Amino acid sequence: MDILLNAKTLDSALQLIGVLVIFVFVLVITWLTTKWMANFQRGRTTNRNLNVIESTRVGTNKTINLVKAGKKYFVVSAGKDEVHLIGELSEEDLTDFSFQNPDYGTPKESFSNMLSKFRNVIPERQDKDEQD
């Protein structure tokens, strides 16, 4: 009887280990697929002839975008199901050329610096409890 109990325990332990190995395998495959898809999408979205320079939201599902196509600039409105050309701009019509800077779109300071500034602004919970 004792041998039968040990065999069931060993069988249960092997089943648990097998399930854990399969679970880890699925997690690794999911992670690799996600990384591959991110690189694939990055390669598709980085092009040299068409760039969204600036975008502003004007409604729930509506935006106005400044798009550079080749050497021309277009103002385009985009909604949930439609896209309309508002007009064309020349380079002389633009006032801010920071998008031509190679550092455009990169954060000016690191997240850890921003977080430390935020922590300095928010009072500590202990200080608040001591005041009560």
Side-chain angles (χ1 to χ4, degrees):
M1 181 82 169
D2 193 31
I3 296 173
L4 187 60
L5 185 61
N6 286 340
K8 285 184 179 182
T9 305
L10 180 64
D11 187 42
S12 296
L14 288 176
Q15 274 187 330
L16 177 64
I17 290 171
V19 167
L20 288 176
V21 166
I22 291 171
F23 178 71
V24 169
F25 176 74
V26 168
L27 283 178
V28 168
I29 293 297
T30 304
W31 178 74
L32 289 173
T33 303
T34 304
K35 296 290 278 181
W36 177 77
M37 285 299 294
N39 289 334
F40 178 74
Q41 289 295 331
R42 186 179 307 127
R44 290 184 68 197
T45 58
T46 56
N47 51 32
R48 297 177 187 193
N49 292 317
L50 187 64
N51 292 320
V52 176
I53 303 298
E54 195 170 332
S55 181
T56 185
R57 185 170 299 277
V58 293
T60 307
N61 292 327
K62 297 179 181 176
T63 60
I64 295 178
N65 304 308
L66 177 62
V67 178
K68 181 179 181 184
K71 294 184 179 182
K72 296 183 179 183
Y73 296 91
F74 298 97
V75 179
V76 177
S77 68
K80 183 178 179 184
D81 295 324
E82 70 278 345
V83 176
H84 298 285
L85 176 65
I86 295 176
E88 184 176 345
L89 298 175
S90 65
E91 196 164 330
E92 292 82 30
D93 294 333
L94 301 176
T95 58
D96 182 14
F97 290 97
S98 61
F99 61 87
Q100 292 178 346
N101 185 359
D103 294 333
Y104 177 71
T106 57
K108 302 295 184 230
E109 63 181 321
S110 69
F111 178 74
S112 58
N113 290 342
M114 286 187 242
L115 184 62
S116 64
K117 286 180 183 178
F118 180 72
R119 285 183 178 165
N120 291 336
V121 172
I122 302 297
E124 293 288 328
R125 186 171 188 90
Q126 294 173 351
D127 295 340
K128 188 176 181 182
D129 291 339
E130 290 173 3
Q131 292 174 355
D132 291 340

